[in-house]
Amino acid sequence: MTFSQQKTISITIDDVPNTANYEKDHFRPILLNILDSLKIPFTIFINEDKIYKTAWLDKNKELLETWVKNEHAIIANHTYSHSRYSEVGFESFIKDIEKGDSLTKVYASKYNKVVKYFRFPFNDMGNDSLQHIQIREYLKSKNYTIAPFTVESSDWMFDTVYQYYLSAGDTVKAKTIGQQYVDKTIELLNFYEKIAIEIYQRPIKHIYLCHDNAINADYLAEIISRLKQADYSIVSFEESLKDPIYKQKDTYYKKWGISWLYRYMDTQEERVKWMKLEPDISKIETLYNQINK
């Protein structure tokens, strides 16, 4: 099978639904409305415990259903409570997986959808090869496909700083952080594209990981516009998974949530070589750490 050289990317969104933002935004699903207006495919990874994080249970359930039924959305499991596999262990983690799609599957069935993808919180697949193999076998037995990604830009750090400035009434600094997030995302995508070209001698079908948060409600549309300006087509997650790179063996057996481009490398030395060349995000890390002291 041959693949065109056209550049493509899928948008995947973790930690859906953000019920705290929903309440703050007067029960308007701003990010979802923007995605819907753009008419692009996207995939959501759901943590059902978020439904119970505010007092508005019925409204939060309606929010989840609104995400699930959207015609452009693929639905996936992200555990119930966003637990970390390497910390909680196998038995506790599989309970969190099984609890994580009980309501989601009801809504998915209502709209003739199937929940067949799973993404690890923190992309933490275990401390060692034993934990990795154990959870892979379990997920396979449940007909789950592990959801990879190639690009992420620490939007959760940018979002924390962004919301901090908004809460302080400093819209100028907030806007600066928002623009830095857009620019850094494109810079990181260009870096991972460079890796792909060097290893595979062609553009690959990239998968972008971001989150249901305030900064994406305000800036993801600009990122998507920049992607289109750079001749990227926004394609579905399922379309991206047709790229043969995602059929490779994952040889990385640590707990850190690195890009699958790194996971497919043969040695840790090769990973480290490329990681040292990554675009610098130390400025946002410093601000994030200052805020979270």
Side-chain angles (χ1 to χ4, degrees), residues 13-23 45-61 63-64 67 78-83 96 99-100 103-104 121-122 159 211-213:
I13 306 167
D14 288 7
D15 302 354
V16 175
N18 189 327
T19 53
N21 273 10
Y22 189 53
E23 181 178 0
F45 293 85
I46 294 167
N47 300 121
E48 287 192 12
D49 77 327
K50 291 183 176 296
I51 294 168
Y52 307 96
K53 291 292 181 68
T54 77
W56 307 95
L57 179 60
D58 289 341
K59 285 184 179 293
N60 292 341
K61 286 183 176 179
L63 173 62
L64 176 60
W67 274 102
H78 198 41
T79 74
Y80 177 79
S81 64
H82 208 272
S83 58
D96 210 31
K99 190 177 180 181
L103 185 58
T104 300
F122 309 100
D159 181 64
H211 297 80
D212 183 6
N213 55 29

Side-chain angles (χ1 to χ4, degrees), residues 266-278:
D266 292 330
T267 67
Q268 184 66 6
E269 288 73 21
E270 186 180 5
R271 294 183 190 106
V272 171
K273 180 195 77 171
W274 280 107
M275 287 177 177
K276 287 180 177 178
L277 300 174
E278 282 187 2

Side-chain angles (χ1 to χ4, degrees), residues 26-293:
H26 307 290
F27 303 107
R28 293 174 299 132
I30 293 175
L31 178 57
L32 174 58
N33 289 344
I34 288 168
L35 290 166
D36 193 50
S37 70
L38 293 172
K39 298 189 181 338
I40 60 169
F42 58 90
T43 300
I44 59 172
F45 293 85
I46 294 167
N47 300 121
E48 287 192 12
D49 77 327
K50 291 183 176 296
I51 294 168
Y52 307 96
K53 291 292 181 68
T54 77
W56 307 95
L57 179 60
D58 289 341
K59 285 184 179 293
N60 292 341
K61 286 183 176 179
E62 289 173 4
L63 173 62
L64 176 60
E65 184 172 2
T66 301
W67 274 102
V68 170
K69 73 180 181 182
N70 186 278
E71 64 178 314
H72 306 295
I74 292 174
I75 314 305
N77 188 335
H78 198 41
T79 74
Y80 177 79
S81 64
H82 208 272
S83 58
R84 187 160 201 148
Y85 175 41
S86 66
E87 293 179 357
V88 303
F90 180 74
E91 295 299 333
S92 177
F93 192 68
I94 64 172
K95 289 178 182 177
D96 210 31
I97 294 172
E98 290 167 359
K99 190 177 180 181
D101 61 14
S102 56
L103 185 58
T104 300
K105 282 186 173 177
V106 172
Y107 291 147
S109 178
K110 182 176 178 180
Y111 299 101
N112 298 313
K113 296 186 177 185
V114 178
V115 183
K116 59 182 179 180
Y117 299 109
F118 176 80
R119 176 171 280 158
F120 288 81
F122 309 100
N123 283 282
D124 176 347
M125 296 170 64
N127 279 315
D128 52 34
S129 59
L130 181 62
Q131 280 198 325
H132 277 240
I133 292 167
Q134 191 175 28
I135 197 64
R136 282 181 181 278
E137 289 178 350
Y138 165 80
L139 290 168
K140 185 177 180 180
S141 75
K142 298 296 181 179
N143 296 315
Y144 272 119
T145 297
I146 296 171
F149 73 93
T150 56
V151 184
E152 67 97 17
S153 53
S154 299
D155 67 310
W156 50 276
M157 279 199 291
F158 283 96
D159 181 64
T160 296
V161 179
Y162 180 68
Q163 292 202 60
Y164 172 81
Y165 286 134
L166 286 179
S167 297
D170 195 335
T171 55
V172 173
K173 284 186 178 178
K175 186 176 181 179
T176 298
I177 294 300
Q179 198 57 56
Q180 287 175 0
Y181 166 53
V182 174
D183 293 342
K184 190 59 66 174
T185 298
I186 300 303
E187 186 181 356
L188 282 159
L189 173 58
N190 290 339
F191 171 75
Y192 288 114
E193 191 72 88
K194 180 180 178 181
I195 295 178
I197 294 294
E198 179 155 329
I199 295 174
Y200 304 108
Q201 285 80 54
R202 63 175 175 84
I204 65 167
K205 295 181 181 293
H206 281 286
I207 299 169
Y208 180 56
L209 184 161
C210 62
H211 297 80
D212 183 6
N213 55 29
I215 202 166
N216 279 314
D218 291 341
Y219 286 94
L220 186 58
E222 185 174 343
I223 288 173
I224 290 167
S225 176
R226 291 273 296 273
L227 291 171
K228 290 180 177 179
Q229 289 170 23
D231 295 325
Y232 280 89
S233 294
I234 312 300
V235 301
S236 73
F237 183 64
E238 290 177 333
E239 176 63 27
S240 286
L241 291 182
K242 293 178 182 178
D243 193 313
I245 74 155
Y246 299 111
K247 301 297 189 288
Q248 297 176 97
K249 183 179 180 181
D250 177 354
T251 63
Y252 179 78
Y253 296 119
K254 300 179 186 292
K255 67 179 181 179
W256 309 111
I258 60 175
S259 167
W260 258 249
L261 287 177
Y262 293 136
R263 289 180 179 272
Y264 296 142
M265 291 178 182
D266 292 330
T267 67
Q268 184 66 6
E269 288 73 21
E270 186 180 5
R271 294 183 190 106
V272 171
K273 180 195 77 171
W274 280 107
M275 287 177 177
K276 287 180 177 178
L277 300 174
E278 282 187 2
D280 181 31
I281 61 168
S282 60
K283 288 184 179 179
I284 198 67
E285 286 177 341
T286 299
L287 286 171
Y288 175 83
N289 290 330
Q290 289 173 350
I291 289 168
N292 283 281
K293 281 183 178 178

